[in-house]
Amino acid sequence: MTEASPANTETRGTLLVVDGHSLAFRAFFALPVENFSTDAGQATNAVWGFATMLSQVIDAEQPDHLAVAFDVKGGTFRNQLLPQYKGTREAAPEELLTQLPLIQQMLAALGVTYIEKPGYEGDDVIGTLATMGADANYRTLVLSGDRDAFQLIDDRITVLYPGHHFKDLKHMTPEAVEEKYHVTPAQYPDLAALRGETADNIPGVPGVGDGFAAKWINQYGGLDGIIEHADEIKGKKGEALRDNLEQVKLNRKVNALVRNLDLGVSIDDLTFGKPDANAVDALFKTLEFGVRSRSKILKSFNGGVKPALSPQGTDAARNADQPDEQALPLPELTVCADAAQIGQWVDANLADPWQQGMANNANDVAAQAGAGTWTLLAQGDPKPGRSTLDNVTVMAAGRALLIKTPFDEPTKHALAALLDEHHGTLAVHGYKEHLHLLGVAGLHLPEPKFDTKLAGYLVHPDFHADTLEQAAAHFLDLHVEDKKPQVTQGLLDLGDDNAGDEEPRENPNELTATRIAIVRALADTLAPMLEQRSQSHLLADIELPVSRVLHGMEDAGAKVDEQRLDTMREQFSADARQAQEMAWDLAGSRVNLQSPKQLQQVLFEDMGLKATKRTKSGSYTTNASVLQDLYVKYANDERASGFLGALLRHRETNKLKQIVQTLIDATNPKDGRIHTTFEQTVAATGRLSSVDPNLQNIPNRNAAGREIRSAFVPGEGYASLLSCDYSQVELRIMADRSGDEALIEAFRSGADFHRYVASLVYGVPVDQITSDQRSHVKAMSYGLAYGLSTYGLAQQLKISPSHADELKAKYFATFGKVHDYLESLVADARAKGYTETMFGRRRYFPALSSTNRVAREAAERAALNAPIQGSAADIMKIAMIRADRALREAGVNSRIILQIHDELVVEVAPGEAEQVTGLVADAMEHAVDLSVPLDVSTGIGDDWQLAAH
DNA sequence: GTTGTGACGTA
DNA sequence: CGTACGTCACAACC
């Protein structure tokens, strides 16, 4: 049950050994020198980068001992063997070399030991320190971008090897080395000797890479064996090997690290955590590092010496590799060999009464609360329309079975049967994602019993767990290593090409066992919480069913007319270019119109326009509303108004161009459709959101932008698009919840709603309401649910605050119960700590009791809005489930493809228009029963724009 | 290389 | 100084 991790065998602490040169190089090339130099011209990018990167690693690994190794100028014994050795490194830029002493100075001030040994390299110092650490029973980490360090790896020594992004350090354990190179760490130098090392200017055997080297090593046991049998190796590569044997032998001598130098220090000397604040301060001042960054860095280096025992139980077990005090029961994991084993495994587990009994006892409470007893974990990338599947694991009664892709037919059938039989008791983390993943293998997952991702969202809707591990940390206080997200739909990987082979791998099976155990633990924890809060029905009746509908929508995608998009892009692009030319002409310089900073310079300094509003960071805003005001104000100044006009036009057309471009880029070449991802656990109010791309913010307010909607068309086999949207749902919810007779009557009357309300507010007959009066009342109505202020209303309507105040007073005099209702929302939230929608969806507002007025008032507005926006979201989700079911039960081919908060877009099959319009409108209108009707307006057309009504 | 900011699209 | 989102491009980091 316990893992065989080295950290488990009593260690005395953690030693971090850093390859100083490697880190300095990395820092230097990661940060542009131009941006990091003092007034005097001293480059500081490597110093700064070194400090931040090292502090990152310290924060992540929490070592209690630390040493940094450096090379010394002048040759080493290696140069005598191999004159060109590290010739490339000597060519380090001057600007980096001058920073090395500064880095050492900084380390000294920070209280960090650094070591160099004349005649030897930093690598040898590292080898020696690591050996010392391991011998003294320390968990030893070596931070180095030099692969020579891999030879040090064993049960006690792990190399932290930076990847493409420095942040994702790979923990190179023996397993990870074997996984990647197919040789043991001890054999790694043999492999490197054969392959050579370009970074160190060491030639290998021409034509021989990692693959062949590993093959030979495994065949002959190592380099000695290879040399012995060199004559037996056939082919070109064998010949090349024989021609270069001397070089290889030399390489091997050179790449062997010395591990027993006399450094004159002992491990006990390598503690840290007592920086010399004055020295650090002085140095950072001369380097012109800001005060804020200074304290940020100091913090990491202060923590080196930890108190023997932390009084707080929660933070005590932060150390990543230490097993947590809350033990996670890992399953006994079997890797599935063939399809027959699936059936056997199921039989064995179900037939074993002892195991069954154990499991039932352990899970009794949770099972009753609805957590289920089976657990499923599919791993891969669940991107709609292009997902990939790595493996599937099922778990029951403390045993797990891991099934790797590709599946053969019998395996598929066995798995399908298993899912079919047990879905009703299953827990997963992300039903929708699992539908995408399993869909790759042609499998369907019927609705599971429990979803830990959705449950976590219901319990704490404004907490965002991007990974399963983060959810574990939050809900279980279980801190396991957070490897890269595998189950979440990340925007992280840019293409799958090289993501695969650079993966951090500590025993992948162990990782899988941990992950599925987390899902189980989350289910057992969250199910009773939902039950206790009477939210289980939200999961079972809304979120889980809607996941399935969303999967269908994402999988279907939205067909776009690519030619039309291309044409539009060209048009917008040309318009933007023209506007830019004009702006440049009038400005007299080629300002970057997309740079607020440069615009501020031109507008408020060069042209001397009067700046008014500031941004939150204190600079003058150049947003559209300010530009518009200036445009009016400087109408007589030809140059200024011309520039402002051109700038506004550029802003608009360039934005449209950008939107069209992202749509083009997001179109799947296989089907010409855009498969967005609807995020079901992101918006704190219960709404959905749409990403990659966002199809919920396609322009709709002005004609030029709305044109983009005409590129959304029915796909092959479909005849038209249907758009159905709720009118004024949020206001109707307010009418219902408040019980305000006047507002209810306004909706029941079926009249022009805003005109009707205006006539009540102003006490004027309906036919005498002016368009101003109507629009003012309309803005007021809509603003209600946002907690608008007098000031905000005045600003939006461009009326005086006193006038706005008057409007507000009149409005609330007319609809008194609405006013009381809104106040009660905030008061209830303050009393209970949370708000609740019509269906029991909660959102917590700790900031309501904040002493900070700005924060508190913001929380009040959000608390006022959440139950209203959230109830509308609940209603739409119910409508989607109903509409989807109605369409399926009617046996039509039409399908929902998009949701934009209060609108559904349906792709309609030939001949189904009338029937489908009726079904969807009905599903929406009768999603819930309110004291006011839920009006739905519908439209149908050859594209999304034409479907508007 | 990472992070924050400003601007702006939607309901 | 009105809620809820996502995306882009720039600039800073010193």
Side-chain angles (χ1 to χ4, degrees):
Chain A
M1 186 108 336
T2 47
E3 71 251 72
S5 141
N8 249 4
T9 57
E10 286 295 309
T11 53
R12 292 183 54 196
T14 299
L15 166 68
L16 174 62
V17 183
V18 177
D19 181 339
H21 272 95
S22 160
L23 193 60
F25 261 73
R26 179 77 189 207
F28 180 80
F29 290 109
L31 275 46
V33 204
E34 316 84 79
N35 292 357
F36 294 83
S37 39
T38 64
D39 292 339
Q42 168 65 53
T44 57
N45 63 332
V47 187
W48 170 251
F50 194 101
T52 50
M53 287 166 165
L54 182 53
S55 71
Q56 269 176 38
V57 178
I58 290 174
D59 291 346
E61 301 293 343
Q62 300 280 314
D64 35 50
H65 290 65
L66 173 61
V68 182
F70 283 98
D71 294 337
V72 194
K73 266 201 222 103
T76 69
F77 72 95
R78 291 187 177 83
N79 295 88
Q80 288 164 6
L81 293 169
L82 239 179
Q84 84 274 31
Y85 179 67
K86 290 199 177 175
T88 40
R89 241 195 221 193
E90 288 305 315
E94 182 66 25
E95 278 171 313
L96 169 56
L97 294 177
T98 61
Q99 294 184 66
L100 292 176
L102 292 173
I103 291 173
Q104 297 187 341
Q105 227 178 302
M106 172 177 73
L107 289 171
L110 287 168
V112 174
T113 310
Y114 69 87
I115 299 174
E116 40 190 18
K117 176 91 178 169
Y120 293 89
E121 280 175 59
D123 285 355
D124 300 317
V125 177
I126 290 167
T128 301
L129 288 170
T131 309
M132 283 165 59
D135 288 349
N137 235 351
Y138 279 80
R139 178 177 83 113
T140 301
L141 304 171
V142 175
L143 174 62
S144 175
D146 187 338
R147 291 187 289 183
D148 279 341
F150 289 174
Q151 63 190 274
L152 301 171
I153 294 169
D154 62 21
D155 279 352
R156 290 232 149 77
I157 303 176
T158 299
V159 169
L160 306 179
Y161 185 69
H164 186 56
H165 302 273
F166 179 80
K167 256 201 153 169
D168 37 56
L169 285 174
K170 286 157 189 101
H171 286 63
M172 298 301 289
T173 55
E175 294 79 27
V177 172
E178 278 166 52
E179 171 102 6
K180 179 140 169 88
Y181 296 101
H182 307 288
V183 297
T184 64
Q187 291 170 326
Y188 182 83
D190 291 356
L191 182 139
L194 289 161
R195 176 201 58 202
E197 191 74 81
T198 14
D200 293 341
N201 214 15
I202 293 178
V205 181
V208 171
D210 289 341
F212 264 93
K215 190 180 144 210
W216 291 340
I217 290 170
N218 286 311
Q219 198 169 348
Y220 302 108
L223 192 55
D224 290 341
I226 294 170
I227 292 168
E228 214 171 293
H229 299 89
D231 294 338
E232 301 166 19
I233 298 173
K234 292 192 283 281
K236 271 242 154 59
K237 313 237 181 221
E239 205 173 299
L241 170 68
R242 287 185 289 278
D243 289 347
N244 291 279
L245 263 190
E246 286 315 306
Q247 177 70 44
V248 171
K249 286 185 201 167
L250 205 56
N251 289 353
R252 185 62 186 85
K253 263 191 200 156
V254 168
N255 73 16
L257 300 187
V258 182
R259 305 181 65 164
N260 57 358
L261 293 178
D262 180 7
L263 299 176
V265 294
S266 77
I267 297 280
D268 297 335
D269 301 328
L270 302 181
T271 53
F272 71 109
K274 295 197 177 71
D276 178 340
N278 291 333
V280 173
D281 229 47
L283 177 64
F284 281 10
K285 209 171 273 174
T286 60
L287 295 176
E288 298 173 13
F289 289 3
V291 183
R292 250 189 27 244
S293 353
R294 253 182 264 175
S295 59
K296 201 172 86 187
I297 290 170
L298 262 177
K299 220 175 96 192
S300 303
F301 290 92
N302 261 324
V305 179
K306 278 174 289 189
L309 265 175
S310 158
Q312 297 290 339
T314 0
D315 276 330
R318 285 294 312 178
N319 204 329
D321 276 35
Q322 301 298 337
D324 204 278
E325 72 272 353
Q326 193 180 343
L328 182 70
L330 292 187
E332 180 188 306
L333 186 110
T334 313
V335 178
C336 182
D338 60 61
Q341 204 185 344
I342 297 178
Q344 288 166 13
W345 183 85
V346 173
D347 291 345
N349 280 306
L350 294 184
D352 184 340
W354 187 78
Q355 280 287 350
Q356 271 293 84
M358 292 294 286
N360 284 342
N361 284 338
N363 289 329
D364 237 6
V365 182
Q368 277 169 21
T373 47
W374 283 64
T375 315
L376 172 72
L377 172 71
Q379 298 186 104
D381 183 354
K383 277 197 201 53
R386 57 210 144 107
S387 50
T388 55
L389 176 65
D390 296 337
N391 53 58
V392 174
T393 307
V394 290
M395 177 170 89
R399 294 185 189 170
L401 183 69
L402 169 65
I403 310 160
K404 296 187 176 172
T405 54
F407 299 156
D408 55 21
E409 277 302 307
T411 301
K412 218 172 93 179
H413 285 126
L415 191 52
L418 193 153
L419 295 178
D420 215 43
E421 183 169 354
H422 295 287
H423 72 92
T425 142
L426 209 58
V428 295
H429 187 78
Y431 177 35
K432 177 160 73 73
E433 290 77 6
H434 275 71
L435 285 170
H436 283 299
L437 291 168
L438 293 166
V440 176
L443 293 165
H444 175 71
L445 175 62
E447 203 169 286
K449 172 102 174 162
F450 200 78
D451 183 326
T452 54
K453 189 176 182 193
L454 295 174
Y457 171 63
L458 290 172
V459 166
H460 196 164
D462 26 25
F463 171 74
H464 292 152
D466 289 334
T467 63
L468 190 56
E469 285 76 9
Q470 284 173 18
H474 182 74
F475 291 111
L476 308 172
D477 193 24
L478 190 77
H479 300 274
V480 296
E481 255 178 278
D482 194 350
K483 290 285 122 192
K484 86 172 269 249
Q486 301 217 12
V487 162
T488 46
Q489 50 300 331
L491 312 167
L492 305 171
D493 358 349
L494 320 158
D496 323 337
D497 34 355
N498 60 3
D501 54 1
E502 298 257 274
E503 219 70 338
R505 294 240 191 265
E506 2 223 304
N507 193 344
N509 293 348
E510 196 178 316
L511 205 89
T512 297
T514 307
R515 292 174 63 85
I516 199 164
I518 288 174
V519 177
R520 179 76 264 151
L522 281 172
D524 292 344
T525 302
L526 292 169
M529 292 175 78
L530 284 186
E531 195 59 27
Q532 196 255 327
R533 296 159 52 147
S534 307
Q535 289 189 311
S536 299
H537 73 100
L538 270 175
L539 179 67
D541 302 336
I542 297 186
E543 300 300 348
L544 272 171
V546 103
S547 274
R548 211 178 65 87
V549 179
L550 292 174
H551 166 259
M553 293 162 64
E554 294 175 352
D555 198 44
K559 169 77 183 171
V560 286
D561 181 338
E562 294 179 80
Q563 276 197 333
R564 186 142 177 68
L565 285 176
D566 285 339
T567 316
M568 276 191 278
R569 203 203 77 93
E570 276 318 307
Q571 186 59 54
F572 290 137
S573 178
D575 292 351
R577 211 177 311 126
Q578 202 198 13
Q580 176 176 259
E581 296 292 342
M582 183 179 279
W584 281 354
D585 237 28
L586 290 161
S589 66
R590 291 162 63 93
V591 247
N592 183 345
L593 299 181
Q594 287 167 136
S595 162
K597 204 188 159 212
Q598 292 182 36
L599 283 178
Q600 284 155 19
Q601 168 78 28
V602 170
L603 289 169
F604 306 126
E605 294 183 34
D606 300 354
M607 290 190 168
L609 304 187
K610 189 99 170 17
T612 47
K613 269 178 61 180
R614 288 175 183 273
T615 65
K616 67 172 171 186
S617 67
S619 58
Y620 289 117
T621 178
T622 66
N623 67 28
S625 101
V626 163
L627 296 183
Q628 193 61 245
D629 290 349
L630 289 171
Y631 181 73
V632 174
K633 190 169 163 190
Y634 290 88
N636 295 324
D637 180 339
E638 236 172 76
R639 178 163 170 250
S641 68
F643 179 79
L644 288 163
L647 175 56
L648 282 162
R649 254 186 332 170
H650 178 266
R651 278 263 173 86
E652 186 183 343
T653 48
N654 198 52
K655 176 83 179 178
L656 295 175
K657 182 189 95 174
Q658 175 259 107
I659 291 172
V660 172
Q661 184 64 55
T662 36
L663 293 179
I664 291 171
D665 294 341
T667 306
N668 188 327
K670 283 192 203 129
D671 57 8
R673 303 178 74 101
I674 298 178
H675 302 264
T676 184
T677 298
F678 288 104
E679 293 286 359
Q680 204 182 337
T681 60
V682 164
T685 52
R687 274 190 176 183
L688 302 176
S689 77
S690 160
V691 294
D692 201 19
N694 182 355
L695 293 187
Q696 291 181 322
N697 71 343
I698 305 301
N700 197 20
R701 288 185 184 161
N702 59 52
R706 197 155 39 233
E707 261 322 284
I708 297 177
R709 295 189 170 216
S710 68
F712 287 80
V713 296
E716 212 173 285
Y718 292 86
S720 55
L721 292 183
L722 165 70
S723 161
C724 305
D725 64 66
Y726 281 120
S727 29
Q728 308 118 353
V729 239
E730 300 190 350
L731 273 170
R732 288 169 199 264
I733 289 165
M734 281 191 270
D736 178 80
R737 302 324 293 178
S738 68
D740 187 290
E741 295 82 2
L743 195 57
I744 290 172
E745 186 48 36
F747 280 121
R748 286 185 179 165
S749 73
D752 173 339
F753 175 76
H754 297 298
R755 187 167 293 278
Y756 185 98
V757 170
S759 108
L760 291 181
V761 169
Y762 291 109
V764 170
V766 169
D767 53 8
Q768 286 174 33
I769 292 298
T770 67
S771 67
D772 255 12
Q773 284 174 319
R774 183 180 184 277
S775 70
H776 286 192
V777 162
K778 184 177 172 183
M780 175 75 207
S781 291
Y782 277 116
L784 282 182
Y786 299 149
L788 56 23
S789 64
T790 306
Y791 180 92
L793 186 64
Q795 179 118 339
Q796 197 198 312
L797 293 174
K798 297 195 192 288
I799 57 179
S800 69
S802 63
H803 194 160
D805 215 33
E806 207 178 306
L807 169 61
K808 211 169 154 182
K810 273 189 184 157
Y811 195 101
F812 282 139
T814 315
F815 304 110
K817 286 199 180 168
V818 174
H819 178 258
D820 297 347
Y821 166 64
L822 295 174
E823 296 234 302
S824 77
L825 289 177
V826 179
D828 284 0
R830 206 187 308 281
K832 291 188 298 189
Y834 60 87
T835 60
E836 235 172 339
T837 68
M838 288 173 60
F839 294 90
R841 184 190 302 279
R842 289 188 190 180
R843 184 174 172 193
Y844 284 82
F845 288 95
L848 283 177
S849 49
S850 168
T851 53
N852 175 339
R853 207 192 60 177
V854 179
R856 188 179 60 246
E857 289 180 348
E860 287 170 355
R861 291 189 298 271
L864 181 148
N865 171 262
I868 300 168
Q869 190 184 118
S871 295
D874 291 345
I875 291 171
M876 180 50 114
K877 282 177 172 172
I878 294 167
M880 291 170 73
I881 297 163
R882 288 168 51 93
D884 178 73
R885 191 192 308 140
L887 293 178
R888 276 187 296 119
E889 284 175 357
V892 294
N893 288 319
S894 304
R895 52 192 182 170
I896 306 172
I897 56 170
L898 296 176
Q899 186 252 48
I900 306 96
H901 308 305
D902 65 0
E903 173 187 8
L904 291 181
V905 178
V906 182
E907 193 171 28
V908 181
E912 297 179 358
E914 202 179 321
Q915 182 190 9
V916 165
T917 304
L919 289 172
V920 176
D922 182 81
M924 290 175 71
E925 282 163 5
H926 300 110
V928 290
D929 191 20
L930 300 183
S931 53
V932 293
L934 274 177
D935 277 7
V936 172
S937 47
T938 66
I940 198 157
D942 287 341
D943 63 53
W944 191 8
Q945 188 184 19
L946 292 169
H949 27 270

